[in-house]
Amino acid sequence: MAPDTARIAHLTHALEASAVMELLPGRPRLLALGEPTHGEDTLLDVRNGLFRQLVEQEGYRTIAVESDCLAGLRVDAYVTTGAGTLDEAMEHGFSHGFGASAANRELVRWAREYNTDRPAADRLRFAGFDAPLEMTGAASPRRPLSALHAFLTSWLSADGPTDGLLPCTADRLDALLGPDDRWTEPAALTDPSRSCGRSPEAVQLAVIAHDLVSLLDERTPHLIAAAGREAWDRARLHGRTATGLLSYHSWLADTTPARMTRLVSVRDRMMAENLLALAERGPVLAFAHNAHLQRERSSMRMGGERLEWWGAGAIVSARLGPEYGFLATALGTIRHQGVDAPPPETVEGLLYALPEDRFLVAAPRLAAALGDPLPAPRVSPWFGYFGLDPAHLKETDGLVFIRDVRG
């Protein structure tokens, strides 16, 4: 065993919930598990195993994944009540094609099985926490805006006269929204002139959305008493999503140099808001790309431009402090994607020399053991894998290392 490897071997732990908790000052309200690439069921299998242990040993009851927050309501309904079928939940409850994953299917199947005959307070919950943004464009704000308007229309009347309270009628809202394809135009991602995000109708809708959310907040005591906290929480989700989408569409129509930075920032801000809301109801395991969950500023290159922004994890960590825990994941190989054994002088290379297939490392202690200067980041030959940035180790609670990801 090389000297550098011998120096770090004693920092490793079995990849178990108990070992994770030993790395943290206490049980976090939000424990984030990052992945360095998407679409690999090996990583999702690790996530599933850790979540089961967190449920059985640490009282976690919610798992949140990087998928459309509105679509995820369908999965949650299936998991908690058995509404619909497993096939329907997988087909319609995930975005970005994640419903095709066998590991995601196993997670949903197991959660539904776990919930059978359990009291509501003890059931597992599922949530998507991403904004409704697919690869080529953003969703229309119709669904969340209409749902929020309908909720307020239904429940405010029990608290007295509603004349003048709502900023518009449902028909007026529908007319302002217009056809959905004007919102979902794929070309708007690269051509601001194709976006309707700063049209007179969109500007008016943004004011209406703000007024509806304000009304929801102002009438909180009555609405929770009348509709129940679960329905009120769902209305808050619709409000966050409506205002977030309208902001995103507005920046799609922008022509300044800040455009792309603001787009990625709005997305992560929406993610953070969803995670903070989920953490209000109990401890959550969140699973997404490392770049969304890390405490440091995120960065990427898009169209030749380097973008930097604060990701969801950085925002949530700033809000929750020690009640936010972050585990990053690094990999040895993904040979079916051309990612072979890491160079021995990189952090991944040092960890790859250890005999275990997967393990947990105390990241700040690893950084201390490596000393200064830290190894250079690994350069991935495949754009889909983001190598570990050693400079992030000090702000990462634990590092999950998986030796080989097999297709």
Side-chain angles (χ1 to χ4, degrees):
M1 186 178 290
D4 282 336
T5 305
R7 193 165 74 244
I8 64 176
H10 72 285
L11 301 178
T12 65
H13 307 267
L15 186 48
E16 298 173 349
S18 58
V20 170
M21 292 301 156
E22 289 178 2
L23 300 181
L24 302 167
R27 187 185 72 169
R29 271 199 285 162
L30 202 150
L31 176 61
L33 173 62
E35 61 174 354
T37 186
H38 287 318
E40 299 295 343
D41 270 7
T42 298
L43 307 184
L44 274 62
D45 288 335
V46 169
R47 174 206 64 188
N48 291 355
L50 180 60
F51 181 57
R52 290 190 186 197
Q53 291 185 14
L54 290 169
V55 167
E56 294 163 356
Q57 301 171 23
E58 300 294 336
Y60 280 69
R61 288 295 180 268
T62 299
I63 186 164
V65 303
E66 185 185 340
S67 183
D68 182 337
C69 58
L70 299 184
L73 294 172
R74 183 185 287 256
V75 182
D76 187 54
Y78 173 75
V79 164
T80 54
T81 70
T85 66
L86 177 57
D87 285 343
E88 290 168 347
M90 301 310 299
E91 182 178 357
H92 302 292
F94 288 85
S95 58
H96 300 88
F98 294 156
S101 160
N104 278 334
R105 186 182 184 89
E106 174 57 21
L107 170 69
V108 175
R109 185 208 62 77
W110 175 78
R112 176 62 204 139
E113 181 181 278
Y114 182 94
N115 284 340
T116 303
D117 298 328
R118 288 183 184 269
D122 194 37
R123 290 175 190 161
L124 304 184
R125 303 294 300 268
F126 176 93
F129 70 91
D130 200 355
L133 308 174
E134 276 289 0
M135 298 298 186
T136 56
S140 164
R142 177 184 307 279
R143 178 180 173 187
L145 262 182
S146 299
L148 177 57
H149 190 281
F151 174 83
L152 291 170
T153 302
S154 297
W155 293 105
L156 284 179
S157 58
D159 197 31
T162 60
D163 292 347
L165 280 180
L166 293 168
C168 69
T169 65
D171 287 342
R172 177 59 179 159
L173 187 64
D174 188 62
L176 288 170
L177 285 163
D180 282 347
D181 57 9
R182 68 196 290 256
W183 297 97
T184 58
E185 168 59 64
L189 186 62
T190 54
D191 183 356
S193 69
R194 301 294 295 273
S195 170
C196 67
R198 294 192 177 177
S199 64
E201 295 86 357
V203 172
Q204 190 169 350
L205 284 167
V207 174
I208 289 171
H210 177 273
D211 287 345
L212 291 174
V213 171
S214 180
L215 192 54
L216 180 69
D217 290 340
E218 293 159 14
R219 299 301 177 102
T220 292
H222 162 70
L223 292 171
I224 291 179
R229 182 170 291 274
E230 185 73 24
W232 178 75
D233 275 340
R234 190 177 302 111
R236 290 172 69 208
L237 170 62
H238 285 132
R240 293 192 301 273
T241 307
T243 56
L245 278 174
L246 286 163
S247 177
Y248 190 90
H249 280 289
S250 176
W251 282 103
L252 277 174
D254 184 67
T255 57
T256 72
R259 179 178 186 263
M260 292 307 301
T261 298
R262 288 307 311 271
L263 287 174
V264 294
S265 297
V266 168
R267 180 190 178 193
D268 268 86
R269 187 256 299 168
M270 293 175 71
M271 286 183 168
E273 290 175 346
N274 287 333
L275 288 174
L276 287 166
L278 290 168
E280 291 176 6
R281 70 187 187 196
V284 179
L285 175 67
F287 183 78
H289 200 283
N290 286 333
H292 290 303
L293 299 176
Q294 66 193 33
R295 289 187 173 95
E296 298 81 358
R297 189 187 294 266
S298 300
S299 65
M300 67 181 296
R301 298 200 70 85
M302 183 176 290
E305 178 184 1
R306 179 178 170 83
L307 306 178
E308 293 189 357
W309 72 102
W310 292 108
I315 296 170
V316 173
S317 179
R319 293 278 296 273
L320 294 185
E323 292 189 294
Y324 179 75
F326 172 52
L327 309 176
T329 298
L331 309 175
T333 71
I334 323 174
R335 288 196 167 89
H336 57 280
Q337 298 290 5
V339 181
D340 292 322
E345 68 275 10
T346 63
V347 173
E348 289 96 326
L350 292 169
L351 297 175
Y352 192 74
L354 298 176
E356 295 87 355
D357 287 333
R358 55 188 65 171
F359 49 86
L360 178 68
V361 187
R365 294 179 63 196
L366 174 60
L370 293 172
D372 290 322
L374 290 167
R378 177 187 187 184
V379 178
S380 172
W382 176 51
F383 74 94
Y385 172 65
F386 286 50
L388 174 73
D389 186 342
H392 291 178
L393 288 172
K394 294 178 182 179
E395 295 297 323
T396 300
D397 295 302
L399 177 64
V400 174
F401 186 76
I402 299 174
R403 182 180 175 83
D404 299 296
V405 173
R406 297 177 174 85

